[in-house]
Amino acid sequence: IEMIQNGKSRELGPMVAYLAEKESEIDLNLGPNEYLKVFEYAARNQTWRATEKFQKLRNSGMSNEKAWNQASVELTRASRLHTRLYIMSTFINHVGSIVDQKVKGVLIDLLNVHVTYEVMDIGIYVQGLLSSNQMDLIRNQLYVSLETIRPNAVSLVDSFQISDMQLRSVLGRRDGNVYENLFKWAKSSPLNKTDVLPSVTQYLKPMMDK
Amino acid sequence: NPDLTNERASGTFDTNAMAAVIYGSEKFAQRRREITEAISKIPEFQDSHPLVFMSREEKISEACRKLAVLSNYWNSLIDTSDEEEALHLYREVLGLEGHPLALHETMFIPSLIAQASDEQQEKWLGRAQRREIIGCYAQTEMGHGTNLRALETTATFDISTREFILNSPTITSLKWWPGALGKSANWSIVIANLIIKEHNYGPHPFMVQLRDEKSHEPLPGITVGDIGPKMAFNGADNGFLGFKNYRIPRENMLMRHSKVTSDGSYIKPPHAKIGYSSMVKVRSRMAMDQGLFLASALVIAVRYSAVRRQGYLEDKSREVKVLDYQTQQHRLFPSIARAYAFIFCGFETIRLYDQLLIDVQNGNTSGMADLHALTSGLKSVVTYQTGEGIEQARMACGGHGYSMASYISEYYGVAIAGCTYEGENMVMLLQLARYLVKS
């Protein structure tokens, strides 16, 4: 922000260049890149807000360290939004580069879940940019995306190809035979080596016999 | 289970093709499957008993047993020069609760690659890669965590003997937390303040032998041990380490970037943050690893949600799969999306890191600030959201999610450790904020 304020926007690193950009119209019907613009708006506004708070405190005579501490919650919010913007941006770019059309199709569905959920999640930061109608549209789009993903849910997690050996989970077994194995697992508990624990004989039994 | 079979039949894509996207190439996805298949045929690699029923000592012993077996098969199972194949092998055989070589592979060797000079790599890297020595990376101190500027451990250069003298002047200066430091490692990269002629040049990395290579006994001047049980990762012997006038040769300071000559002259690195490159590397990897922790919890929760039936929707003849409830989908699907996003983002960030290494070697450090700042934020956001996602996965499994049979709590414990290691999240966010403000 300080570079922008000093007229050095052209020297910004590529990951922070959006901080100097102007707001543009959002048309959510145009796809994930429009959601990215919403995130850019949120990250940019929050970064400016946090910086201005810090600068105002400093200009009021507060020390640099104290002003930084007083603005730190706002500053960490800016950092989170900047990072989430990067994650969303790489997700969109990666999906765009996939060749296999069936895989790409389901990842676009998943991307739609992501962008709608993420924008809903930062609703407070986009007040002023999006109308309540647009927020409703996003909310409804999220529910539609959940339904679209549903038939592929198991295949999407199977695709991680994490073996049963690695997963070490009775509940997550690939064959789905959960209940019989849950019982088998419980029986292998060291507590089940004997029917009567020494602690019962040593402490509980004498207590009960009193 | 017929429910899971039906779910698989309803999928619209080939999971092998998707695995190729997730793991970056068809070749590596295929190699993963081959390695998994080969491992499944070696009975000694199976857990001798479910890990969750074992004590810490039993877990460490079990990991050592498997590492010994692994050394017999290492060359036949994987391409040993391929880091990803090695990590997959470790994950399969040793799991995620930690083991004596955990930091050796993820911190020690990468740091030697990034920070040791060519001569130093000649001396130590091959030995490390052949596992003739076990190393770790000791930076964090008991009273200072990851606050590099507050580290107290000193490495004072003695011009007369051309040695560094290592000291831990206080209890708070004890190295504290590094995995495998307590009982397993016999060498470590140690971060200490470099002092020459009473001038403090700040933290620098040193290659330090901790234990005798034959007896494994700690060397004189070294205090080392295990820090005790943790929320998870209890198969690892996280350790403490202190020094009392412990001398190492001048050549044991890692000198790819900064240097100390035999007459005690200090040569600065080309970029102030060059020493952070191993941190950038680890944090880049973290996004992908955390994505896989989240993915693992989701594999459990989604499969179980397709098996578990409870309550009725329209059809009253049979209970409904809990995965058909919108609330369950809302709980799990955005996290699936995040797991994919984290993995893709991890790939991109590792690519940027690899590019950065090439640039730095050519004297161009311009990308360092952008990436260093970003990876600070990335590890914070990803570890936090992974923790959130795993907790949702646990609750999506109802009461059984709370049982160690689900193993979700182990994934949770291991994943959220990332909120504090490699930089506590709030500190990392403020580090990124400083960069944003300056921009």
Side-chain angles (χ1 to χ4, degrees):
Chain A
I1 299 297
E2 287 172 353
M3 284 173 73
I4 299 165
Q5 288 170 333
N6 294 328
K8 294 178 180 169
S9 302
R10 285 183 176 187
E11 293 173 29
L12 289 171
M15 287 174 184
V16 286
Y18 72 94
L19 291 174
E21 284 169 14
K22 297 266 182 291
E23 270 98 62
S24 56
E25 282 290 305
I26 305 291
D27 182 354
L28 295 170
N29 296 314
L30 294 178
N33 277 314
E34 295 297 297
Y35 287 81
L36 199 65
K37 282 191 199 167
V38 175
F39 241 88
E40 280 182 352
Y41 168 89
R44 179 168 52 239
N45 262 15
Q46 181 59 27
T47 307
W48 277 93
R49 188 181 299 130
T51 306
E52 282 164 358
K53 177 169 185 180
F54 164 61
Q55 290 174 334
K56 202 172 161 187
L57 290 167
R58 202 175 46 183
N59 294 341
S60 72
M62 208 177 264
S63 71
N64 210 41
E65 289 79 7
K66 205 164 178 190
W68 183 263
N69 189 38
Q70 296 277 317
S72 59
V73 173
E74 293 298 323
L75 287 161
T76 56
R77 285 177 176 153
S79 295
R80 283 193 199 94
L81 288 167
H82 173 76
T83 309
R84 290 171 73 174
L85 167 66
Y86 171 75
I87 293 169
M88 185 184 280
S89 158
T90 55
F91 195 177
I92 292 170
N93 289 340
H94 201 88
V95 171
S97 70
I98 289 163
V99 181
D100 185 313
Q101 288 306 307
K102 282 188 176 171
V103 166
K104 189 172 187 167
V106 74
L107 281 177
I108 288 171
D109 294 337
L110 201 58
L111 181 60
N112 285 332
V113 171
H114 187 69
V115 295
T116 50
Y117 184 83
E118 294 293 305
V119 169
M120 288 303 302
D121 199 45
I122 59 152
I124 194 166
Y125 297 101
V126 293
Q127 282 170 358
L129 177 73
L130 298 178
S131 66
S132 62
N133 280 347
Q134 283 175 306
M135 288 302 279
D136 283 344
L137 181 80
I138 296 170
R139 190 177 289 116
N140 290 331
Q141 183 55 48
L142 172 60
Y143 299 137
V144 170
S145 298
L146 293 178
E147 273 186 53
T148 311
I149 282 294
R150 170 65 187 88
N152 278 316
V154 169
S155 295
L156 275 166
V157 295
D158 277 351
S159 298
F160 292 116
Q161 300 192 332
I162 298 166
S163 69
D164 281 353
M165 182 178 176
Q166 188 179 152
L167 203 59
R168 290 183 166 82
S169 171
V170 179
L171 258 58
R173 297 169 60 95
R174 186 175 164 82
D175 66 12
N177 295 328
V178 172
Y179 297 120
E180 52 273 52
N181 283 290
L182 199 53
F183 186 41
K184 202 170 143 192
W185 180 86
K187 282 195 288 188
S188 72
S189 166
L191 290 184
N192 291 325
K193 270 186 188 161
T194 57
D195 280 332
V196 181
L197 289 177
S199 57
V200 172
T201 319
Q202 193 177 351
Y203 300 111
L204 298 185
K205 198 75 179 60
M207 182 187 78
M208 290 187 288
D209 287 347
K210 273 184 193 171
Chain B
N1 180 290
D3 282 335
L4 266 183
T5 305
N6 291 337
E7 291 288 340
R8 287 175 177 132
S10 76
T12 59
F13 64 96
D14 174 6
T15 53
N16 282 347
M18 184 65 88
V21 172
I22 291 170
Y23 295 106
S25 71
E26 170 52 34
K27 187 182 164 216
F28 179 57
Q30 176 66 26
R31 282 295 295 141
R32 283 182 87 259
R33 290 191 289 274
E34 287 166 4
I35 293 166
T36 299
E37 173 73 13
I39 290 166
S40 71
K41 291 175 180 157
I42 301 170
E44 301 112 290
F45 283 152
Q46 299 298 319
D47 296 344
S48 50
H49 201 57
L51 291 181
V52 295
F53 294 136
M54 292 183 188
S55 68
R56 276 193 72 208
E57 201 173 344
E58 286 169 336
K59 284 180 184 181
I60 292 170
S61 173
E62 174 79 349
C64 290
R65 178 187 72 76
K66 287 183 183 168
L67 282 167
V69 176
L70 205 50
S71 67
N72 300 327
Y73 291 96
W74 192 258
N75 292 323
S76 62
L77 287 173
I78 60 165
D79 169 2
T80 51
S81 66
D82 190 314
E83 190 185 357
E84 296 300 325
E85 288 194 13
L87 285 173
H88 178 60
L89 181 59
Y90 276 125
R91 283 193 191 110
E92 285 283 333
V93 176
L94 293 150
L96 74 162
E97 296 192 35
H99 60 84
L101 292 184
L103 257 72
H104 181 82
E105 300 290 342
T106 58
M107 289 289 290
F108 183 66
I109 289 177
S111 299
L112 281 178
I113 292 169
Q115 301 193 36
S117 66
D118 292 345
E119 302 79 48
Q120 290 174 322
Q121 288 184 4
E122 185 75 26
K123 192 171 172 186
W124 293 309
L125 189 56
R127 293 196 73 205
Q129 285 168 334
R130 290 189 298 274
R131 292 177 299 283
E132 292 168 11
I133 55 174
I134 300 175
C136 73
Y137 186 92
Q139 176 175 303
T140 304
E141 292 179 0
M142 182 200 267
H144 313 293
T146 48
N147 185 5
L148 265 174
R149 278 178 292 188
L151 296 185
E152 295 177 89
T153 305
T154 54
T156 307
F157 189 59
D158 179 347
I159 295 178
S160 64
T161 61
R162 295 174 185 173
E163 290 172 318
F164 291 104
I165 309 166
L166 294 174
N167 270 300
S168 311
T170 59
I171 287 284
T172 51
S173 73
L174 285 173
K175 296 294 176 190
W176 200 269
W177 273 115
L181 174 64
K183 297 289 166 187
S184 307
N186 56 358
W187 282 80
S188 179
I189 291 171
V190 173
I191 307 300
N193 283 304
L194 167 64
I195 295 170
I196 309 170
K197 294 175 192 161
E198 296 183 0
H199 181 82
N200 187 342
Y201 289 88
H204 285 71
F206 298 85
M207 180 73 170
V208 183
Q209 184 174 355
L210 308 178
R211 292 172 178 270
D212 183 271
E213 286 191 17
K214 282 192 180 136
S215 68
H216 203 64
E217 290 291 334
L219 293 168
I222 299 276
T223 304
V224 67
D226 172 73
I227 63 164
K230 298 135 292 183
M231 193 165 162
F233 266 130
N234 282 307
D237 51 316
N238 297 66
F240 59 78
L241 171 66
F243 302 101
K244 192 172 180 188
N245 292 324
Y246 186 72
R247 288 175 173 266
I248 56 171
R250 180 185 68 89
E251 293 80 7
N252 281 31
M253 176 174 145
L254 297 185
M255 297 206 210
R256 176 160 289 279
H257 306 297
S258 313
K259 294 178 179 64
V260 174
T261 59
S262 50
D263 65 353
S265 301
Y266 178 73
I267 300 167
K268 279 198 300 189
H271 188 282
K273 288 195 167 86
I274 200 83
Y276 295 177
S277 65
S278 53
M279 270 190 259
V280 170
K281 158 92 177 182
V282 172
R283 288 174 194 160
S284 303
R285 268 220 76 93
M286 276 179 78
M288 202 148 76
D289 291 342
Q290 291 278 327
L292 285 172
F293 291 143
L294 180 55
S296 301
L298 290 163
V299 171
I300 297 165
V302 171
R303 282 182 185 162
Y304 179 63
S305 299
V307 169
R308 177 72 173 192
R309 289 175 174 272
Q310 193 149 337
Y312 300 92
L313 287 174
E314 284 171 329
D315 179 4
K316 303 290 186 263
S317 66
R318 195 176 183 198
E319 286 192 296
V320 74
K321 292 175 185 172
V322 292
L323 195 56
D324 286 328
Y325 290 110
Q326 190 187 55
T327 49
Q328 192 81 344
Q329 294 167 10
H330 190 253
R331 189 169 238 175
L332 296 172
F333 296 175
S335 288
I336 299 178
R338 279 182 174 170
Y340 274 82
F342 295 164
I343 290 167
F344 295 158
C345 180
F347 267 121
E348 170 63 9
T349 315
I350 287 167
R351 190 191 64 75
L352 291 174
Y353 169 78
D354 288 340
Q355 184 58 49
L356 179 74
L357 276 191
I358 295 167
D359 292 348
V360 168
Q361 270 163 10
N362 294 327
N364 174 10
T365 55
S366 62
M368 180 71 88
D370 238 14
L371 194 60
H372 184 248
L374 176 80
T375 52
S376 302
L378 194 60
K379 72 80 71 179
S380 309
V381 169
V382 167
T383 52
Y384 178 77
Q385 292 190 342
T386 293
E388 271 188 335
I390 295 176
E391 174 63 351
Q392 286 298 319
R394 179 186 72 80
M395 289 192 283
C397 294
H400 294 323
Y402 192 68
S403 164
M404 289 298 280
S406 78
Y407 210 52
I408 291 180
S409 63
E410 193 63 39
Y411 283 102
Y412 181 73
V414 168
I416 61 160
C419 294
T420 40
Y421 69 63
E422 282 308 308
E424 192 278 323
N425 278 357
M426 287 300 161
V427 177
M428 293 297 97
L429 289 170
L430 288 169
Q431 203 162 290
L432 169 57
R434 196 170 297 121
Y435 181 69
L436 293 175
V437 168
K438 279 184 187 170
S439 299

mmCIF file of all heavy atoms in Angstrom, chain B residues 53-72:
data_model
loop_
_atom_site.group_PDB
_atom_site.id
_atom_site.type_symbol
_atom_site.label_atom_id
_atom_site.label_comp_id
_atom_site.label_asym_id
_atom_site.label_seq_id
_atom_site.Cartn_x
_atom_site.Cartn_y
_atom_site.Cartn_z
ATOM 1 N N PHE B 53 -3.348 -48.569 19.929
ATOM 2 C CA PHE B 53 -3.306 -49.310 21.195
ATOM 3 C C PHE B 53 -1.895 -49.354 21.792
ATOM 4 O O PHE B 53 -1.690 -49.931 22.855
ATOM 5 C CB PHE B 53 -3.804 -50.750 20.992
ATOM 6 C CG PHE B 53 -5.262 -50.848 20.626
ATOM 7 C CD1 PHE B 53 -5.684 -51.697 19.616
ATOM 8 C CD2 PHE B 53 -6.217 -50.093 21.298
ATOM 9 C CE1 PHE B 53 -7.029 -51.794 19.280
ATOM 10 C CE2 PHE B 53 -7.564 -50.182 20.972
ATOM 11 C CZ PHE B 53 -7.974 -51.025 19.959
ATOM 12 N N MET B 54 -0.922 -48.769 21.107
ATOM 13 C CA MET B 54 0.472 -48.872 21.568
ATOM 14 C C MET B 54 0.885 -47.697 22.449
ATOM 15 O O MET B 54 0.382 -46.579 22.301
ATOM 16 C CB MET B 54 1.429 -48.902 20.362
ATOM 17 C CG MET B 54 1.332 -50.145 19.521
ATOM 18 S SD MET B 54 2.576 -50.061 18.203
ATOM 19 C CE MET B 54 2.102 -51.478 17.224
ATOM 20 N N SER B 55 1.882 -47.950 23.324
ATOM 21 C CA SER B 55 2.507 -46.869 24.099
ATOM 22 C C SER B 55 3.462 -46.110 23.172
ATOM 23 O O SER B 55 3.757 -46.580 22.067
ATOM 24 C CB SER B 55 3.297 -47.449 25.275
ATOM 25 O OG SER B 55 4.425 -48.154 24.774
ATOM 26 N N ARG B 56 3.988 -44.983 23.638
ATOM 27 C CA ARG B 56 4.930 -44.216 22.808
ATOM 28 C C ARG B 56 6.166 -45.038 22.478
ATOM 29 O O ARG B 56 6.631 -45.048 21.344
ATOM 30 C CB ARG B 56 5.381 -42.945 23.550
ATOM 31 C CG ARG B 56 4.415 -41.806 23.400
ATOM 32 C CD ARG B 56 5.068 -40.534 23.877
ATOM 33 N NE ARG B 56 6.097 -40.074 22.950
ATOM 34 C CZ ARG B 56 7.147 -39.364 23.313
ATOM 35 N NH1 ARG B 56 7.324 -39.026 24.571
ATOM 36 N NH2 ARG B 56 8.016 -38.966 22.411
ATOM 37 N N GLU B 57 6.698 -45.700 23.485
ATOM 38 C CA GLU B 57 7.914 -46.466 23.250
ATOM 39 C C GLU B 57 7.658 -47.585 22.234
ATOM 40 O O GLU B 57 8.502 -47.857 21.367
ATOM 41 C CB GLU B 57 8.435 -47.033 24.572
ATOM 42 C CG GLU B 57 9.903 -47.378 24.484
ATOM 43 C CD GLU B 57 10.498 -47.781 25.825
ATOM 44 O OE1 GLU B 57 9.870 -47.511 26.867
ATOM 45 O OE2 GLU B 57 11.584 -48.375 25.798
ATOM 46 N N GLU B 58 6.477 -48.197 22.346
ATOM 47 C CA GLU B 58 6.129 -49.267 21.395
ATOM 48 C C GLU B 58 6.002 -48.699 19.975
ATOM 49 O O GLU B 58 6.421 -49.327 19.003
ATOM 50 C CB GLU B 58 4.816 -49.941 21.797
ATOM 51 C CG GLU B 58 4.952 -50.866 23.008
ATOM 52 C CD GLU B 58 3.615 -51.320 23.577
ATOM 53 O OE1 GLU B 58 2.595 -50.627 23.380
ATOM 54 O OE2 GLU B 58 3.595 -52.355 24.243
ATOM 55 N N LYS B 59 5.406 -47.489 19.886
ATOM 56 C CA LYS B 59 5.261 -46.872 18.556
ATOM 57 C C LYS B 59 6.622 -46.568 17.936
ATOM 58 O O LYS B 59 6.847 -46.797 16.747
ATOM 59 C CB LYS B 59 4.456 -45.565 18.660
ATOM 60 C CG LYS B 59 2.977 -45.781 18.842
ATOM 61 C CD LYS B 59 2.240 -44.457 18.942
ATOM 62 C CE LYS B 59 0.772 -44.713 19.224
ATOM 63 N NZ LYS B 59 -0.029 -43.506 19.316
ATOM 64 N N ILE B 60 7.529 -46.021 18.750
ATOM 65 C CA ILE B 60 8.869 -45.685 18.239
ATOM 66 C C ILE B 60 9.608 -46.965 17.841
ATOM 67 O O ILE B 60 10.247 -47.038 16.784
ATOM 68 C CB ILE B 60 9.667 -44.870 19.289
ATOM 69 C CG1 ILE B 60 9.018 -43.486 19.461
ATOM 70 C CG2 ILE B 60 11.129 -44.725 18.891
ATOM 71 C CD1 ILE B 60 9.542 -42.671 20.625
ATOM 72 N N SER B 61 9.461 -47.987 18.676
ATOM 73 C CA SER B 61 10.116 -49.260 18.387
ATOM 74 C C SER B 61 9.547 -49.879 17.104
ATOM 75 O O SER B 61 10.292 -50.408 16.265
ATOM 76 C CB SER B 61 9.904 -50.188 19.593
ATOM 77 O OG SER B 61 10.366 -51.462 19.298
ATOM 78 N N GLU B 62 8.219 -49.771 16.952
ATOM 79 C CA GLU B 62 7.563 -50.299 15.743
ATOM 80 C C GLU B 62 8.086 -49.566 14.498
ATOM 81 O O GLU B 62 8.359 -50.180 13.457
ATOM 82 C CB GLU B 62 6.044 -50.117 15.882
ATOM 83 C CG GLU B 62 5.214 -50.478 14.661
ATOM 84 C CD GLU B 62 4.995 -51.977 14.488
ATOM 85 O OE1 GLU B 62 5.658 -52.756 15.188
ATOM 86 O OE2 GLU B 62 4.181 -52.353 13.625
ATOM 87 N N ALA B 63 8.236 -48.242 14.618
ATOM 88 C CA ALA B 63 8.739 -47.454 13.485
ATOM 89 C C ALA B 63 10.180 -47.856 13.156
ATOM 90 O O ALA B 63 10.542 -47.986 11.980
ATOM 91 C CB ALA B 63 8.669 -45.965 13.807
ATOM 92 N N CYS B 64 10.990 -48.070 14.201
ATOM 93 C CA CYS B 64 12.389 -48.476 13.966
ATOM 94 C C CYS B 64 12.436 -49.845 13.301
ATOM 95 O O CYS B 64 13.247 -50.080 12.395
ATOM 96 C CB CYS B 64 13.170 -48.504 15.278
ATOM 97 S SG CYS B 64 13.455 -46.866 15.950
ATOM 98 N N ARG B 65 11.565 -50.747 13.753
ATOM 99 C CA ARG B 65 11.516 -52.092 13.152
ATOM 100 C C ARG B 65 11.224 -51.974 11.654
ATOM 101 O O ARG B 65 11.905 -52.587 10.823
ATOM 102 C CB ARG B 65 10.413 -52.925 13.832
ATOM 103 C CG ARG B 65 10.252 -54.324 13.256
ATOM 104 C CD ARG B 65 9.040 -55.066 13.829
ATOM 105 N NE ARG B 65 7.754 -54.562 13.365
ATOM 106 C CZ ARG B 65 7.236 -54.784 12.166
ATOM 107 N NH1 ARG B 65 7.885 -55.523 11.293
ATOM 108 N NH2 ARG B 65 6.060 -54.272 11.819
ATOM 109 N N LYS B 66 10.228 -51.145 11.333
ATOM 110 C CA LYS B 66 9.863 -51.008 9.919
ATOM 111 C C LYS B 66 10.970 -50.325 9.109
ATOM 112 O O LYS B 66 11.192 -50.675 7.949
ATOM 113 C CB LYS B 66 8.570 -50.207 9.793
ATOM 114 C CG LYS B 66 7.348 -50.993 10.231
ATOM 115 C CD LYS B 66 6.133 -50.160 10.012
ATOM 116 C CE LYS B 66 4.885 -50.848 10.493
ATOM 117 N NZ LYS B 66 3.767 -49.910 10.530
ATOM 118 N N LEU B 67 11.643 -49.342 9.734
ATOM 119 C CA LEU B 67 12.748 -48.681 9.017
ATOM 120 C C LEU B 67 13.859 -49.678 8.692
ATOM 121 O O LEU B 67 14.449 -49.623 7.609
ATOM 122 C CB LEU B 67 13.303 -47.524 9.853
ATOM 123 C CG LEU B 67 12.472 -46.247 9.841
ATOM 124 C CD1 LEU B 67 12.931 -45.287 10.936
ATOM 125 C CD2 LEU B 67 12.551 -45.559 8.482
ATOM 126 N N ALA B 68 14.102 -50.595 9.640
ATOM 127 C CA ALA B 68 15.133 -51.610 9.406
ATOM 128 C C ALA B 68 14.712 -52.532 8.255
ATOM 129 O O ALA B 68 15.530 -52.853 7.381
ATOM 130 C CB ALA B 68 15.374 -52.412 10.676
ATOM 131 N N VAL B 69 13.427 -52.910 8.250
ATOM 132 C CA VAL B 69 12.921 -53.756 7.151
ATOM 133 C C VAL B 69 13.016 -52.972 5.837
ATOM 134 O O VAL B 69 13.438 -53.488 4.803
ATOM 135 C CB VAL B 69 11.450 -54.182 7.413
ATOM 136 C CG1 VAL B 69 10.910 -54.969 6.228
ATOM 137 C CG2 VAL B 69 11.342 -55.002 8.692
ATOM 138 N N LEU B 70 12.619 -51.697 5.943
ATOM 139 C CA LEU B 70 12.602 -50.827 4.761
ATOM 140 C C LEU B 70 13.974 -50.736 4.105
ATOM 141 O O LEU B 70 14.088 -50.689 2.874
ATOM 142 C CB LEU B 70 12.132 -49.434 5.206
ATOM 143 C CG LEU B 70 11.483 -48.506 4.202
ATOM 144 C CD1 LEU B 70 10.371 -49.194 3.443
ATOM 145 C CD2 LEU B 70 10.938 -47.278 4.932
ATOM 146 N N SER B 71 15.023 -50.719 4.938
ATOM 147 C CA SER B 71 16.368 -50.565 4.373
ATOM 148 C C SER B 71 16.720 -51.754 3.464
ATOM 149 O O SER B 71 17.535 -51.627 2.564
ATOM 150 C CB SER B 71 17.408 -50.398 5.484
ATOM 151 O OG SER B 71 17.493 -51.591 6.215
ATOM 152 N N ASN B 72 16.069 -52.912 3.710
ATOM 153 C CA ASN B 72 16.323 -54.077 2.843
ATOM 154 C C ASN B 72 15.629 -53.952 1.486
ATOM 155 O O ASN B 72 16.026 -54.600 0.524
ATOM 156 C CB ASN B 72 15.835 -55.364 3.517
ATOM 157 C CG ASN B 72 16.532 -55.608 4.838
ATOM 158 O OD1 ASN B 72 17.693 -55.253 4.989
ATOM 159 N ND2 ASN B 72 15.826 -56.182 5.799
#
